Amino acid sequence: MRQTKNKLGNGLVILFLMILWTACSAPEETELAVEEKVIPVRGMQISPVSMEQRKTFTGTLEGEKQAVIRAKIAEAVNCIDVIEGDEVRANEVIIRLDKTGPSSNYLQSKSVFQNAEKNFKKMRYLFGEGAISESQFDGARTEYEVARANYEAARQLVELRTPIDGTVTSIDISVGDYVSPGQQVATVATINMLRMKLGVGSTDIGYFSVGDSVRILAESVSGFEAVGAVAMVAGSADPKTRTFQVVIEIDNSTRFFKPGMFARAEVIVERFDNIMVVPRPAVLTRNNKDYLFVIKDGRAVASEVVLGEEFDGLAEIRSGLNVGDTVVTLGQDYLSNGSLIKLTELTYTAGEETKH
C-alpha cells in the first residue's frame, strides 16, 4: 500500500513539473510562431504621363540628289581620281578608263579632230583673204564641228564624270578592273539632306501625311537618330508591289547617316495623354485576373487592375490604381496580399530615382 502511495506521489510530482515547464516555454514558442518575414522590394510612384504609340517601317537611305555613275563601254579602269568622302563638282572627272583600249576609239577620234581643227583654221584664214569660196569654208567648218563632237563623245566614254555637286559615297571598282557597259562604278550624292523611300501597305498609308515628323534610326548602330519629315505620299499604289510610295526627307547636317545605310522610320500612330503606366513585369496574372501590389503602411496590398495599351515594356493601367500610389516593381513574385515589405528603392514614372 505504501509503495502504491509513493508511486502515485511521484507521478503527481512529474505531472506538476511537466505543466510548469510547458507554462514557462509556451510564450517563447508563441513569439517565434508569429514573427513575420520582411520582404525587400523596389517600387514606383505613379504620376500621369503622355505616351505615343509608334509603328516602324524600314528602308534604305539615299541622297536627296543622287547620281549613280555607270560605264558605257567595256574597258579597263586606268585611274580613279577620287576616294569615298571626297567633295566633287558637277562635270568633274572621277574615273578614267583605258584610252588605248580596243573599245574606246578615243585616240582615233582625237587624231581626226586635231586634223579637222588645223584645216578649219587654215580655211578660215583663206576665206578671210578671199582665196576660197564660202561653200568651201562652210564645208571645212562642218567637218571640224563633226570631228569635235565625235572626239567629245569618245572622251566622255573613257572619262567618267559626275553630273551633280556632292560627296562620293561609294567607289565600286578598282584600278585594273575590266568593266562592262551598264556596270555601276561609283555613286555621288548630296548628304546634308537625305531621303528614304518606303513601300507602305494600304492598311498603314493613313498614318502618313505630308509634313508629318518622322523619327529615323540607324539599323546597324544604336543610339543615333535624326528627324525627318514626310515629303510625298503617293495617291495610288504601285501595280506591281501593291504598295504606296512614301518619301521622307531627313536633315543630316551631322553627317552621321550615309547613303546606302539601312534605317528604320518610326511614325506616331496614336498619342495618349494623362495616363498611368507601370512596367509590364510588375503586373501579375492570377486566376485570369491582373493584379498589382500597392504599398500601404509598409505592407503589400493586392489590387486588381484593368490593362490598356502597351508601350515598349510599359503597360497602361485604366482602373484599379490612383495617381500617387506606389506599386511594387521588383520582388512582387514573392509577395502575397498583406505581406510586410521593406522599400529599398523608389522610382518615379518620369524616371527619377531615390534609394532608401
Side-chain angles (χ1 to χ4, degrees):
M1 186 71 176
R2 182 177 297 178
Q3 289 180 350
T4 302
K5 289 182 178 181
N6 289 338
K7 289 180 180 181
L8 181 60
N10 292 336
L12 292 173
V13 171
I14 293 172
L15 179 62
F16 174 76
L17 292 175
M18 289 178 64
I19 294 172
L20 182 63
W21 178 82
T22 302
C24 293
S25 60
E28 184 179 353
E29 289 182 358
T30 303
E31 285 182 13
L32 293 173
V34 299
E35 185 178 349
E36 265 190 287
K37 183 179 179 181
V38 179
I39 302 174
V41 297
R42 294 181 183 178
M44 184 179 77
Q45 191 174 81
I46 301 300
S47 58
V49 296
S50 296
M51 302 293 293
E52 294 172 345
Q53 194 74 274
R54 295 174 177 264
K55 190 159 188 176
T56 300
F57 301 84
T58 57
T60 302
L61 300 177
E62 57 184 54
E64 182 185 28
K65 294 180 179 179
Q66 182 165 302
V68 177
I69 317 301
R70 299 182 184 276
K72 296 181 178 64
I73 59 173
E75 202 55 79
V77 178
N78 187 56
C79 180
I80 300 174
D81 294 349
V82 295
I83 60 174
E84 290 186 13
D86 280 356
E87 300 287 335
V88 293
R89 305 290 295 178
N91 206 39
E92 183 178 337
V93 177
I94 60 174
I95 295 173
R96 303 174 192 269
L97 303 183
D98 185 4
K99 296 178 180 179
T100 64
S103 302
S104 69
N105 200 34
Y106 172 81
L107 295 180
Q108 181 181 354
S109 61
K110 181 180 180 181
S111 178
V112 171
F113 166 67
Q114 288 174 338
N115 289 333
E117 185 178 36
K118 289 179 182 179
N119 184 56
F120 171 66
K121 289 180 179 179
K122 181 178 71 173
M123 297 300 282
R124 185 173 57 186
Y125 173 75
L126 293 175
F127 178 71
E129 295 295 324
I132 60 171
S133 66
E134 185 175 355
S135 62
Q136 288 176 303
F137 172 68
D138 289 342
R141 181 169 59 187
T142 301
E143 181 183 349
Y144 163 70
E145 290 175 350
V146 170
R148 182 176 63 180
N150 289 336
Y151 169 61
E152 287 297 327
R155 188 169 69 171
Q156 289 179 14
L157 293 178
V158 294
E159 295 179 351
L160 305 184
R161 302 168 183 266
T162 170
I164 62 171
D165 296 344
T167 302
V168 179
T169 59
S170 72
I171 299 291
D172 304 301
I173 42 83
S174 301
V175 172
D177 287 353
Y178 199 83
V179 297
S180 57
Q183 180 178 339
Q184 179 174 325
V185 295
T187 303
V188 175
T190 56
I191 62 175
N192 285 338
M193 287 294 293
L194 299 178
R195 64 184 177 184
M196 185 178 183
K197 294 180 180 179
L198 306 176
V200 181
S202 58
T203 57
D204 296 329
I205 193 63
Y207 298 142
F208 294 89
S209 298
V210 173
D212 284 352
S213 179
V214 182
R215 183 185 180 200
I216 307 296
L217 302 100
E219 186 72 14
S220 57
V221 184
S222 61
F224 291 94
E225 61 181 77
V227 177
V230 177
M232 188 275 287
V233 179
S236 59
D238 186 300
K240 294 182 180 179
T241 63
R242 302 296 181 185
T243 60
F244 295 80
Q245 187 179 80
V246 175
V247 178
I248 300 171
E249 291 183 345
I250 304 157
D251 179 8
N252 190 41
S253 53
T254 61
R255 296 200 170 191
F256 168 76
F257 293 96
K258 307 295 182 186
M261 271 188 174
F262 200 62
R264 291 179 286 124
E266 290 187 353
V267 297
I268 299 174
V269 174
E270 192 173 357
R271 183 177 176 86
F272 302 83
D273 293 317
N274 296 317
I275 63 173
M276 296 180 291
V277 295
V278 299
R280 185 62 180 84
V283 182
L284 301 176
T285 302
R286 297 175 180 175
N287 298 323
N288 296 321
K289 295 181 179 180
D290 296 315
Y291 290 88
L292 284 170
F293 280 106
V294 180
I295 300 175
K296 294 182 179 180
D297 299 326
R299 293 187 178 274
V301 178
S303 177
E304 184 179 348
V305 295
V306 175
L307 301 183
E309 300 291 334
E310 293 198 9
F311 311 89
D312 193 22
L314 298 175
E316 177 192 8
I317 305 300
R318 291 184 174 173
S319 66
L321 196 63
N322 297 310
V323 172
D325 284 349
T326 299
V327 301
V328 177
T329 57
L330 186 64
Q332 63 273 17
D333 294 327
Y334 306 100
L335 300 176
S336 58
N337 190 29
S339 292
L340 186 64
I341 61 94
K342 178 182 179 182
L343 186 61
T344 61
E345 188 175 292
L346 177 64
T347 59
Y348 298 85
T349 305
E352 185 180 348
E353 180 177 298
T354 302
K355 291 190 177 181
H356 293 258

